[in-house]
Amino acid sequence: IKNWWKKFGNTKVEKSSQNKMYAITLLQDYDSSQGDHNGYLFLLIDANDSKQPLIRIQTWQPESAGTTPITLK
């Protein structure tokens, strides 16, 4: 079985000042059948229910887009 991911880096974790929401942004290197890709994985995690945290948003932004990675702000 081939791993689709290669490595993660430049990890940033932010916490909302209003509630138990966390934003995680990290640089991801992975392969797919279309080739190698580099980009930013963004997760918005709702931990208000500590027994059942939820991923509210999951998105991927190509590094080649040349824009600032998505953050909580």
Side-chain angles (χ1 to χ4, degrees):
I1 297 174
K2 184 178 178 179
N3 289 331
W4 56 269
W5 57 271
K6 289 183 179 178
K7 67 178 183 176
F8 295 102
N10 296 346
T11 304
K12 181 177 183 178
V13 178
E14 302 169 275
K15 183 184 182 300
S16 169
S17 61
Q18 319 260 301
N19 51 36
K20 293 182 181 178
M21 300 288 280
Y22 296 87
I24 302 171
T25 306
L26 52 114
L27 184 60
Q28 180 183 26
D29 244 353
Y30 78 97
D31 324 334
S32 73
S33 57
Q34 290 90 27
D36 291 345
H37 302 281
N38 298 316
Y40 291 94
L41 177 63
F42 174 80
L43 302 168
L44 182 62
I45 300 172
D46 179 343
N48 285 296
D49 181 348
S50 63
K51 293 183 181 183
Q52 292 187 322
L54 297 171
I55 297 174
R56 295 285 182 182
I57 298 172
Q58 175 183 337
T59 189
W60 190 83
Q61 175 185 359
E63 187 177 34
S64 62
T67 57
T68 303
I70 297 169
T71 66
L72 188 60
K73 295 176 173 86

